[in-house]
Amino acid sequence: MTGNPEDTRKSLVPIPAPKKKKKRSKRPKSKRGKNKPTGFEEYYVDAPITAEEHEFELDLYHVSRPIAHRLENSLLRFSKNRRIEPDRLEVFNKYLQYGGIDVSPKMFAGVDERGMKDMDKEDILLARGNTSINQGQSNLIIDFNAVVKGYLTSYFPFYFNPFTEDMIKLATVTTRGFLSYLLYHDVCPEYKENIHEARKSCDIATGELWKNQQLTAEGTDDFNKACSILFGGFEHEIYVEDNQWENPKDDKVHMTKKIAQKVVRFGLGVAGTDDIASAFHHKAIAGTLTAKKLQDIHGFEVTGVRFLEDNARQFYQDQAPDLHPVGVLFGRTYYDPAEPEYDLSPEEREEWAKNGLPVQDFTFFLEERLLQHCYPGMKIIANVWELNCGFHYFEEVIRAYCSIYTPLANELMIGWKKPRALTAKKEQEDSDAE
């Protein structure tokens, strides 16, 4: 058998085994996709920073630097280390705009991947940022707490119309997270106490905004509806005796005057004082019960709530299981500072300027299922009626405000741009068009 010795030597050389590809270690599901931490979890805290990072931040956030520069840098780093989803980003950007920060894309600030190769981390961070503070606004007062209260209690509820507790927390938790970042990194130590107050306002708004939403969603209760039917109000105007006109598309049970009388009698008898119950009884027999709508007020501020005792609640269950137990709601006159002033006569305006706005105390009766959503300091915008027997009633809740309700003019400046002078050519075109 013959053969080439070279072929024999080649066959004896071991063939190297193919290299195995290294498997990429998979991150746990808790750190991937939708389950990945966002940085806004309840117990989330920023990770400890290195000594080098600490030294860098000491220079970056030194009080000698303008506050606008420090805030801009803090916003860039706050957003970089968190996963801000679209819904949260929209709420957060509106908060920044409300506070006077421009969040629109920077003109001619785009940078491609090739351009980033020659940049360090700081340059890349600045190039990708979309927030900026107009240096021409340096004369404005900086008040973190006022902006938080104005945004969360005045602007946010009516711009976003949050109807769930999660939607409310989306705004309050995000805002509080940014304020906590300012404290943790000592961005503006001269406003430390003010930022602490702003964080407390976020906590207050979280609970109160949800109670406001629950109360306004209910509309009104049977007791106040019954008073409106019997004594005056919207329900009185549209009432049809014994529900003789029926809407074929409406299958709900309508309240008749007989039912309304039962609701009012039980409410006053169980929750009312002896003086109110007695006055109501005597005036009802004499036919002298009258009600008037209070003018020149926006609503009332809650000063206290009183729930029924267990024996009174049991009386409702035994004697009127078809009715909702009624508690007592105390209030006083409220004037919404965001609304325009009333058109008063010169004499009335002089009287108000001399003695202040007239304030009156109110006593309402409200079903406990709604009373549980009320709290001292709550502002309720509604039409208030006064009965001549010592108590009041109100119609549908139009709006409800937090105890820290603070309307500001900041929202008028959202999207505002500095006017530009018209060129001579433009002026000529406008005059020719006329």
PDB file of all heavy atoms in Angstrom, residues 211 214-224 305 307 324-327 329 365-375 378 380 394 397:
ATOM      1  N   LYS A 211     -59.636  61.257  48.049  1.00  0.00           N
ATOM      2  CA  LYS A 211     -60.914  61.482  48.725  1.00  0.00           C
ATOM      3  C   LYS A 211     -61.768  62.475  47.940  1.00  0.00           C
ATOM      4  O   LYS A 211     -62.994  62.310  47.834  1.00  0.00           O
ATOM      5  CB  LYS A 211     -60.671  61.995  50.144  1.00  0.00           C
ATOM      6  CG  LYS A 211     -60.122  60.934  51.086  1.00  0.00           C
ATOM      7  CD  LYS A 211     -60.026  61.457  52.513  1.00  0.00           C
ATOM      8  CE  LYS A 211     -59.558  60.357  53.462  1.00  0.00           C
ATOM      9  NZ  LYS A 211     -59.503  60.819  54.873  1.00  0.00           N
ATOM     10  N   GLN A 214     -63.353  60.623  45.028  1.00  0.00           N
ATOM     11  CA  GLN A 214     -64.439  59.734  45.437  1.00  0.00           C
ATOM     12  C   GLN A 214     -65.702  60.511  45.767  1.00  0.00           C
ATOM     13  O   GLN A 214     -66.819  60.080  45.448  1.00  0.00           O
ATOM     14  CB  GLN A 214     -63.992  58.902  46.643  1.00  0.00           C
ATOM     15  CG  GLN A 214     -62.932  57.864  46.317  1.00  0.00           C
ATOM     16  CD  GLN A 214     -62.415  57.152  47.550  1.00  0.00           C
ATOM     17  OE1 GLN A 214     -61.715  57.726  48.372  1.00  0.00           O
ATOM     18  NE2 GLN A 214     -62.771  55.895  47.707  1.00  0.00           N
ATOM     19  N   LEU A 215     -65.552  61.667  46.426  1.00  0.00           N
ATOM     20  CA  LEU A 215     -66.721  62.464  46.789  1.00  0.00           C
ATOM     21  C   LEU A 215     -67.406  63.041  45.556  1.00  0.00           C
ATOM     22  O   LEU A 215     -68.636  62.966  45.418  1.00  0.00           O
ATOM     23  CB  LEU A 215     -66.312  63.589  47.740  1.00  0.00           C
ATOM     24  CG  LEU A 215     -67.447  64.498  48.211  1.00  0.00           C
ATOM     25  CD1 LEU A 215     -68.433  63.719  49.071  1.00  0.00           C
ATOM     26  CD2 LEU A 215     -66.909  65.700  48.990  1.00  0.00           C
ATOM     27  N   THR A 216     -66.630  63.632  44.648  1.00  0.00           N
ATOM     28  CA  THR A 216     -67.234  64.243  43.458  1.00  0.00           C
ATOM     29  C   THR A 216     -67.836  63.188  42.531  1.00  0.00           C
ATOM     30  O   THR A 216     -68.803  63.476  41.817  1.00  0.00           O
ATOM     31  CB  THR A 216     -66.183  65.060  42.691  1.00  0.00           C
ATOM     32  OG1 THR A 216     -65.039  64.241  42.430  1.00  0.00           O
ATOM     33  CG2 THR A 216     -65.736  66.267  43.503  1.00  0.00           C
ATOM     34  N   ALA A 217     -67.280  61.975  42.527  1.00  0.00           N
ATOM     35  CA  ALA A 217     -67.826  60.917  41.671  1.00  0.00           C
ATOM     36  C   ALA A 217     -69.224  60.497  42.122  1.00  0.00           C
ATOM     37  O   ALA A 217     -70.054  60.090  41.304  1.00  0.00           O
ATOM     38  CB  ALA A 217     -66.887  59.708  41.667  1.00  0.00           C
ATOM     39  N   GLU A 218     -69.501  60.623  43.424  1.00  0.00           N
ATOM     40  CA  GLU A 218     -70.821  60.245  43.951  1.00  0.00           C
ATOM     41  C   GLU A 218     -71.892  61.275  43.598  1.00  0.00           C
ATOM     42  O   GLU A 218     -73.065  60.937  43.506  1.00  0.00           O
ATOM     43  CB  GLU A 218     -70.738  60.078  45.467  1.00  0.00           C
ATOM     44  CG  GLU A 218     -69.889  58.901  45.935  1.00  0.00           C
ATOM     45  CD  GLU A 218     -70.586  57.567  45.725  1.00  0.00           C
ATOM     46  OE1 GLU A 218     -71.800  57.567  45.430  1.00  0.00           O
ATOM     47  OE2 GLU A 218     -69.913  56.536  45.846  1.00  0.00           O
ATOM     48  N   GLY A 219     -71.513  62.512  43.425  1.00  0.00           N
ATOM     49  CA  GLY A 219     -72.491  63.551  43.089  1.00  0.00           C
ATOM     50  C   GLY A 219     -73.161  64.111  44.319  1.00  0.00           C
ATOM     51  O   GLY A 219     -72.732  65.089  44.900  1.00  0.00           O
ATOM     52  N   THR A 220     -74.244  63.489  44.764  1.00  0.00           N
ATOM     53  CA  THR A 220     -74.962  63.930  45.958  1.00  0.00           C
ATOM     54  C   THR A 220     -75.562  62.707  46.630  1.00  0.00           C
ATOM     55  O   THR A 220     -75.511  61.600  46.099  1.00  0.00           O
ATOM     56  CB  THR A 220     -76.049  64.952  45.605  1.00  0.00           C
ATOM     57  OG1 THR A 220     -76.613  65.491  46.805  1.00  0.00           O
ATOM     58  CG2 THR A 220     -77.170  64.300  44.802  1.00  0.00           C
ATOM     59  N   ASP A 221     -76.129  62.910  47.818  1.00  0.00           N
ATOM     60  CA  ASP A 221     -76.722  61.795  48.561  1.00  0.00           C
ATOM     61  C   ASP A 221     -78.228  61.975  48.642  1.00  0.00           C
ATOM     62  O   ASP A 221     -78.781  62.989  48.215  1.00  0.00           O
ATOM     63  CB  ASP A 221     -76.107  61.707  49.955  1.00  0.00           C
ATOM     64  CG  ASP A 221     -76.488  62.909  50.817  1.00  0.00           C
ATOM     65  OD1 ASP A 221     -76.697  64.011  50.238  1.00  0.00           O
ATOM     66  OD2 ASP A 221     -76.576  62.778  52.038  1.00  0.00           O
ATOM     67  N   ASP A 222     -78.904  60.986  49.210  1.00  0.00           N
ATOM     68  CA  ASP A 222     -80.368  61.013  49.264  1.00  0.00           C
ATOM     69  C   ASP A 222     -80.893  62.124  50.165  1.00  0.00           C
ATOM     70  O   ASP A 222     -81.933  62.729  49.867  1.00  0.00           O
ATOM     71  CB  ASP A 222     -80.894  59.658  49.750  1.00  0.00           C
ATOM     72  CG  ASP A 222     -80.714  58.559  48.723  1.00  0.00           C
ATOM     73  OD1 ASP A 222     -80.531  58.888  47.532  1.00  0.00           O
ATOM     74  OD2 ASP A 222     -80.736  57.364  49.098  1.00  0.00           O
ATOM     75  N   PHE A 223     -80.193  62.418  51.262  1.00  0.00           N
ATOM     76  CA  PHE A 223     -80.702  63.429  52.190  1.00  0.00           C
ATOM     77  C   PHE A 223     -80.738  64.803  51.531  1.00  0.00           C
ATOM     78  O   PHE A 223     -81.752  65.504  51.578  1.00  0.00           O
ATOM     79  CB  PHE A 223     -79.850  63.472  53.466  1.00  0.00           C
ATOM     80  CG  PHE A 223     -80.373  64.442  54.490  1.00  0.00           C
ATOM     81  CD1 PHE A 223     -81.303  64.035  55.439  1.00  0.00           C
ATOM     82  CD2 PHE A 223     -79.961  65.771  54.505  1.00  0.00           C
ATOM     83  CE1 PHE A 223     -81.808  64.937  56.382  1.00  0.00           C
ATOM     84  CE2 PHE A 223     -80.465  66.673  55.433  1.00  0.00           C
ATOM     85  CZ  PHE A 223     -81.385  66.253  56.371  1.00  0.00           C
ATOM     86  N   ASN A 224     -79.622  65.224  50.947  1.00  0.00           N
ATOM     87  CA  ASN A 224     -79.584  66.543  50.320  1.00  0.00           C
ATOM     88  C   ASN A 224     -80.452  66.593  49.067  1.00  0.00           C
ATOM     89  O   ASN A 224     -81.004  67.644  48.739  1.00  0.00           O
ATOM     90  CB  ASN A 224     -78.136  66.903  49.998  1.00  0.00           C
ATOM     91  CG  ASN A 224     -77.341  67.244  51.248  1.00  0.00           C
ATOM     92  OD1 ASN A 224     -77.376  68.361  51.742  1.00  0.00           O
ATOM     93  ND2 ASN A 224     -76.628  66.262  51.781  1.00  0.00           N
ATOM     94  N   VAL A 305     -66.397  66.810  61.061  1.00  0.00           N
ATOM     95  CA  VAL A 305     -67.346  65.754  60.706  1.00  0.00           C
ATOM     96  C   VAL A 305     -67.728  65.004  61.976  1.00  0.00           C
ATOM     97  O   VAL A 305     -66.924  64.889  62.909  1.00  0.00           O
ATOM     98  CB  VAL A 305     -66.761  64.768  59.666  1.00  0.00           C
ATOM     99  CG1 VAL A 305     -66.504  65.462  58.348  1.00  0.00           C
ATOM    100  CG2 VAL A 305     -65.484  64.115  60.173  1.00  0.00           C
ATOM    101  N   PHE A 307     -69.701  61.361  62.982  1.00  0.00           N
ATOM    102  CA  PHE A 307     -70.376  60.137  62.583  1.00  0.00           C
ATOM    103  C   PHE A 307     -71.363  59.715  63.672  1.00  0.00           C
ATOM    104  O   PHE A 307     -71.279  60.158  64.831  1.00  0.00           O
ATOM    105  CB  PHE A 307     -69.351  59.024  62.339  1.00  0.00           C
ATOM    106  CG  PHE A 307     -68.488  59.251  61.134  1.00  0.00           C
ATOM    107  CD1 PHE A 307     -67.293  59.936  61.249  1.00  0.00           C
ATOM    108  CD2 PHE A 307     -68.876  58.800  59.881  1.00  0.00           C
ATOM    109  CE1 PHE A 307     -66.480  60.151  60.142  1.00  0.00           C
ATOM    110  CE2 PHE A 307     -68.079  59.002  58.771  1.00  0.00           C
ATOM    111  CZ  PHE A 307     -66.884  59.689  58.904  1.00  0.00           C
ATOM    112  N   HIS A 324     -79.990  55.186  54.036  1.00  0.00           N
ATOM    113  CA  HIS A 324     -78.577  55.247  54.396  1.00  0.00           C
ATOM    114  C   HIS A 324     -78.420  56.100  55.650  1.00  0.00           C
ATOM    115  O   HIS A 324     -78.982  57.196  55.735  1.00  0.00           O
ATOM    116  CB  HIS A 324     -77.757  55.863  53.261  1.00  0.00           C
ATOM    117  CG  HIS A 324     -77.783  55.066  51.997  1.00  0.00           C
ATOM    118  ND1 HIS A 324     -77.118  53.874  51.848  1.00  0.00           N
ATOM    119  CD2 HIS A 324     -78.407  55.298  50.808  1.00  0.00           C
ATOM    120  CE1 HIS A 324     -77.304  53.402  50.635  1.00  0.00           C
ATOM    121  NE2 HIS A 324     -78.079  54.246  49.973  1.00  0.00           N
ATOM    122  N   PRO A 325     -77.655  55.641  56.651  1.00  0.00           N
ATOM    123  CA  PRO A 325     -77.424  56.443  57.862  1.00  0.00           C
ATOM    124  C   PRO A 325     -76.802  57.798  57.535  1.00  0.00           C
ATOM    125  O   PRO A 325     -75.964  57.914  56.646  1.00  0.00           O
ATOM    126  CB  PRO A 325     -76.467  55.580  58.690  1.00  0.00           C
ATOM    127  CG  PRO A 325     -76.679  54.186  58.189  1.00  0.00           C
ATOM    128  CD  PRO A 325     -76.999  54.325  56.732  1.00  0.00           C
ATOM    129  N   VAL A 326     -77.226  58.816  58.268  1.00  0.00           N
ATOM    130  CA  VAL A 326     -76.789  60.191  58.014  1.00  0.00           C
ATOM    131  C   VAL A 326     -75.972  60.706  59.196  1.00  0.00           C
ATOM    132  O   VAL A 326     -76.377  60.563  60.355  1.00  0.00           O
ATOM    133  CB  VAL A 326     -78.009  61.114  57.778  1.00  0.00           C
ATOM    134  CG1 VAL A 326     -77.587  62.575  57.732  1.00  0.00           C
ATOM    135  CG2 VAL A 326     -78.705  60.724  56.488  1.00  0.00           C
ATOM    136  N   GLY A 327     -74.824  61.307  58.906  1.00  0.00           N
ATOM    137  CA  GLY A 327     -74.003  61.962  59.920  1.00  0.00           C
ATOM    138  C   GLY A 327     -74.063  63.467  59.744  1.00  0.00           C
ATOM    139  O   GLY A 327     -74.878  63.992  58.970  1.00  0.00           O
ATOM    140  N   LEU A 329     -72.026  67.170  58.987  1.00  0.00           N
ATOM    141  CA  LEU A 329     -70.879  67.817  58.370  1.00  0.00           C
ATOM    142  C   LEU A 329     -70.925  69.301  58.716  1.00  0.00           C
ATOM    143  O   LEU A 329     -71.912  69.979  58.417  1.00  0.00           O
ATOM    144  CB  LEU A 329     -70.925  67.619  56.851  1.00  0.00           C
ATOM    145  CG  LEU A 329     -69.816  68.260  56.013  1.00  0.00           C
ATOM    146  CD1 LEU A 329     -68.477  67.601  56.309  1.00  0.00           C
ATOM    147  CD2 LEU A 329     -70.133  68.162  54.521  1.00  0.00           C
ATOM    148  N   PHE A 365     -76.238  67.782  56.852  1.00  0.00           N
ATOM    149  CA  PHE A 365     -76.417  66.360  57.133  1.00  0.00           C
ATOM    150  C   PHE A 365     -76.041  65.601  55.859  1.00  0.00           C
ATOM    151  O   PHE A 365     -76.518  65.932  54.773  1.00  0.00           O
ATOM    152  CB  PHE A 365     -77.859  66.058  57.554  1.00  0.00           C
ATOM    153  CG  PHE A 365     -78.233  66.721  58.851  1.00  0.00           C
ATOM    154  CD1 PHE A 365     -78.865  67.958  58.857  1.00  0.00           C
ATOM    155  CD2 PHE A 365     -77.925  66.127  60.060  1.00  0.00           C
ATOM    156  CE1 PHE A 365     -79.199  68.582  60.045  1.00  0.00           C
ATOM    157  CE2 PHE A 365     -78.256  66.745  61.264  1.00  0.00           C
ATOM    158  CZ  PHE A 365     -78.892  67.976  61.256  1.00  0.00           C
ATOM    159  N   LEU A 366     -75.192  64.598  56.015  1.00  0.00           N
ATOM    160  CA  LEU A 366     -74.659  63.884  54.860  1.00  0.00           C
ATOM    161  C   LEU A 366     -74.562  62.401  55.191  1.00  0.00           C
ATOM    162  O   LEU A 366     -74.170  62.032  56.303  1.00  0.00           O
ATOM    163  CB  LEU A 366     -73.266  64.432  54.502  1.00  0.00           C
ATOM    164  CG  LEU A 366     -72.614  63.906  53.226  1.00  0.00           C
ATOM    165  CD1 LEU A 366     -73.384  64.357  51.989  1.00  0.00           C
ATOM    166  CD2 LEU A 366     -71.154  64.379  53.140  1.00  0.00           C
ATOM    167  N   GLU A 367     -74.920  61.579  54.220  1.00  0.00           N
ATOM    168  CA  GLU A 367     -74.831  60.135  54.432  1.00  0.00           C
ATOM    169  C   GLU A 367     -73.401  59.727  54.756  1.00  0.00           C
ATOM    170  O   GLU A 367     -72.443  60.259  54.190  1.00  0.00           O
ATOM    171  CB  GLU A 367     -75.322  59.393  53.185  1.00  0.00           C
ATOM    172  CG  GLU A 367     -76.805  59.544  52.951  1.00  0.00           C
ATOM    173  CD  GLU A 367     -77.246  58.878  51.658  1.00  0.00           C
ATOM    174  OE1 GLU A 367     -76.427  58.167  51.047  1.00  0.00           O
ATOM    175  OE2 GLU A 367     -78.413  59.069  51.261  1.00  0.00           O
ATOM    176  N   GLU A 368     -73.257  58.775  55.666  1.00  0.00           N
ATOM    177  CA  GLU A 368     -71.934  58.382  56.133  1.00  0.00           C
ATOM    178  C   GLU A 368     -71.074  57.784  55.029  1.00  0.00           C
ATOM    179  O   GLU A 368     -69.851  57.850  55.086  1.00  0.00           O
ATOM    180  CB  GLU A 368     -72.057  57.391  57.296  1.00  0.00           C
ATOM    181  CG  GLU A 368     -72.576  58.044  58.566  1.00  0.00           C
ATOM    182  CD  GLU A 368     -72.455  57.137  59.769  1.00  0.00           C
ATOM    183  OE1 GLU A 368     -72.613  55.908  59.609  1.00  0.00           O
ATOM    184  OE2 GLU A 368     -72.183  57.638  60.873  1.00  0.00           O
ATOM    185  N   ARG A 369     -71.688  57.203  54.015  1.00  0.00           N
ATOM    186  CA  ARG A 369     -70.909  56.639  52.916  1.00  0.00           C
ATOM    187  C   ARG A 369     -70.163  57.740  52.152  1.00  0.00           C
ATOM    188  O   ARG A 369     -69.145  57.485  51.510  1.00  0.00           O
ATOM    189  CB  ARG A 369     -71.807  55.842  51.971  1.00  0.00           C
ATOM    190  CG  ARG A 369     -72.880  56.652  51.278  1.00  0.00           C
ATOM    191  CD  ARG A 369     -73.853  55.784  50.483  1.00  0.00           C
ATOM    192  NE  ARG A 369     -74.864  56.605  49.837  1.00  0.00           N
ATOM    193  CZ  ARG A 369     -74.747  57.105  48.618  1.00  0.00           C
ATOM    194  NH1 ARG A 369     -73.644  56.857  47.923  1.00  0.00           N
ATOM    195  NH2 ARG A 369     -75.711  57.833  48.096  1.00  0.00           N
ATOM    196  N   LEU A 370     -70.670  58.976  52.216  1.00  0.00           N
ATOM    197  CA  LEU A 370     -69.974  60.123  51.626  1.00  0.00           C
ATOM    198  C   LEU A 370     -69.193  60.903  52.674  1.00  0.00           C
ATOM    199  O   LEU A 370     -68.154  61.499  52.372  1.00  0.00           O
ATOM    200  CB  LEU A 370     -70.976  61.063  50.938  1.00  0.00           C
ATOM    201  CG  LEU A 370     -71.783  60.484  49.776  1.00  0.00           C
ATOM    202  CD1 LEU A 370     -72.633  61.578  49.142  1.00  0.00           C
ATOM    203  CD2 LEU A 370     -70.876  59.863  48.742  1.00  0.00           C
ATOM    204  N   LEU A 371     -69.683  60.874  53.899  1.00  0.00           N
ATOM    205  CA  LEU A 371     -69.024  61.606  54.975  1.00  0.00           C
ATOM    206  C   LEU A 371     -67.616  61.078  55.218  1.00  0.00           C
ATOM    207  O   LEU A 371     -66.727  61.833  55.646  1.00  0.00           O
ATOM    208  CB  LEU A 371     -69.861  61.503  56.243  1.00  0.00           C
ATOM    209  CG  LEU A 371     -69.553  62.485  57.383  1.00  0.00           C
ATOM    210  CD1 LEU A 371     -69.794  63.921  56.931  1.00  0.00           C
ATOM    211  CD2 LEU A 371     -70.397  62.164  58.609  1.00  0.00           C
ATOM    212  N   GLN A 372     -67.394  59.800  54.947  1.00  0.00           N
ATOM    213  CA  GLN A 372     -66.072  59.213  55.168  1.00  0.00           C
ATOM    214  C   GLN A 372     -65.010  59.793  54.239  1.00  0.00           C
ATOM    215  O   GLN A 372     -63.808  59.665  54.499  1.00  0.00           O
ATOM    216  CB  GLN A 372     -66.138  57.695  54.974  1.00  0.00           C
ATOM    217  CG  GLN A 372     -66.503  57.272  53.567  1.00  0.00           C
ATOM    218  CD  GLN A 372     -66.575  55.769  53.407  1.00  0.00           C
ATOM    219  OE1 GLN A 372     -65.944  55.039  54.155  1.00  0.00           O
ATOM    220  NE2 GLN A 372     -67.342  55.302  52.433  1.00  0.00           N
ATOM    221  N   HIS A 373     -65.434  60.445  53.155  1.00  0.00           N
ATOM    222  CA  HIS A 373     -64.479  61.063  52.224  1.00  0.00           C
ATOM    223  C   HIS A 373     -64.181  62.520  52.580  1.00  0.00           C
ATOM    224  O   HIS A 373     -63.339  63.146  51.924  1.00  0.00           O
ATOM    225  CB  HIS A 373     -65.023  61.006  50.798  1.00  0.00           C
ATOM    226  CG  HIS A 373     -65.353  59.624  50.327  1.00  0.00           C
ATOM    227  ND1 HIS A 373     -64.516  58.560  50.509  1.00  0.00           N
ATOM    228  CD2 HIS A 373     -66.453  59.136  49.669  1.00  0.00           C
ATOM    229  CE1 HIS A 373     -65.062  57.468  49.996  1.00  0.00           C
ATOM    230  NE2 HIS A 373     -66.222  57.795  49.488  1.00  0.00           N
ATOM    231  N   CYS A 374     -64.858  63.057  53.591  1.00  0.00           N
ATOM    232  CA  CYS A 374     -64.680  64.457  53.955  1.00  0.00           C
ATOM    233  C   CYS A 374     -63.659  64.589  55.090  1.00  0.00           C
ATOM    234  O   CYS A 374     -63.511  63.684  55.915  1.00  0.00           O
ATOM    235  CB  CYS A 374     -66.007  65.079  54.383  1.00  0.00           C
ATOM    236  SG  CYS A 374     -67.276  65.049  53.082  1.00  0.00           S
ATOM    237  N   TYR A 375     -62.990  65.723  55.162  1.00  0.00           N
ATOM    238  CA  TYR A 375     -61.958  65.952  56.167  1.00  0.00           C
ATOM    239  C   TYR A 375     -61.847  67.462  56.412  1.00  0.00           C
ATOM    240  O   TYR A 375     -62.166  68.273  55.524  1.00  0.00           O
ATOM    241  CB  TYR A 375     -60.613  65.400  55.686  1.00  0.00           C
ATOM    242  CG  TYR A 375     -60.209  65.873  54.313  1.00  0.00           C
ATOM    243  CD1 TYR A 375     -59.494  67.059  54.131  1.00  0.00           C
ATOM    244  CD2 TYR A 375     -60.582  65.155  53.170  1.00  0.00           C
ATOM    245  CE1 TYR A 375     -59.146  67.504  52.869  1.00  0.00           C
ATOM    246  CE2 TYR A 375     -60.249  65.593  51.901  1.00  0.00           C
ATOM    247  CZ  TYR A 375     -59.527  66.768  51.761  1.00  0.00           C
ATOM    248  OH  TYR A 375     -59.198  67.215  50.491  1.00  0.00           O
ATOM    249  N   MET A 378     -61.103  70.591  53.756  1.00  0.00           N
ATOM    250  CA  MET A 378     -61.580  70.303  52.400  1.00  0.00           C
ATOM    251  C   MET A 378     -62.475  71.443  51.920  1.00  0.00           C
ATOM    252  O   MET A 378     -63.337  71.927  52.647  1.00  0.00           O
ATOM    253  CB  MET A 378     -62.364  68.991  52.415  1.00  0.00           C
ATOM    254  CG  MET A 378     -62.835  68.504  51.066  1.00  0.00           C
ATOM    255  SD  MET A 378     -63.872  67.014  51.263  1.00  0.00           S
ATOM    256  CE  MET A 378     -63.645  66.219  49.686  1.00  0.00           C
ATOM    257  N   ILE A 380     -65.345  72.559  49.294  1.00  0.00           N
ATOM    258  CA  ILE A 380     -66.378  71.982  48.428  1.00  0.00           C
ATOM    259  C   ILE A 380     -67.106  73.111  47.711  1.00  0.00           C
ATOM    260  O   ILE A 380     -67.671  74.008  48.351  1.00  0.00           O
ATOM    261  CB  ILE A 380     -67.367  71.133  49.241  1.00  0.00           C
ATOM    262  CG1 ILE A 380     -66.647  69.927  49.862  1.00  0.00           C
ATOM    263  CG2 ILE A 380     -68.528  70.665  48.369  1.00  0.00           C
ATOM    264  CD1 ILE A 380     -67.525  69.063  50.747  1.00  0.00           C
ATOM    265  N   PHE A 394     -76.880  71.213  50.577  1.00  0.00           N
ATOM    266  CA  PHE A 394     -76.198  71.612  49.344  1.00  0.00           C
ATOM    267  C   PHE A 394     -76.555  70.628  48.231  1.00  0.00           C
ATOM    268  O   PHE A 394     -76.904  69.472  48.487  1.00  0.00           O
ATOM    269  CB  PHE A 394     -74.677  71.679  49.528  1.00  0.00           C
ATOM    270  CG  PHE A 394     -74.037  70.387  49.937  1.00  0.00           C
ATOM    271  CD1 PHE A 394     -73.546  69.495  49.003  1.00  0.00           C
ATOM    272  CD2 PHE A 394     -73.918  70.060  51.289  1.00  0.00           C
ATOM    273  CE1 PHE A 394     -72.949  68.315  49.383  1.00  0.00           C
ATOM    274  CE2 PHE A 394     -73.315  68.882  51.686  1.00  0.00           C
ATOM    275  CZ  PHE A 394     -72.836  67.997  50.729  1.00  0.00           C
ATOM    276  N   VAL A 397     -72.031  68.193  44.314  1.00  0.00           N
ATOM    277  CA  VAL A 397     -70.672  68.694  44.498  1.00  0.00           C
ATOM    278  C   VAL A 397     -70.072  68.984  43.123  1.00  0.00           C
ATOM    279  O   VAL A 397     -69.871  68.071  42.317  1.00  0.00           O
ATOM    280  CB  VAL A 397     -69.797  67.673  45.253  1.00  0.00           C
ATOM    281  CG1 VAL A 397     -68.358  68.170  45.350  1.00  0.00           C
ATOM    282  CG2 VAL A 397     -70.380  67.406  46.637  1.00  0.00           C
TER     283      VAL A 397
END
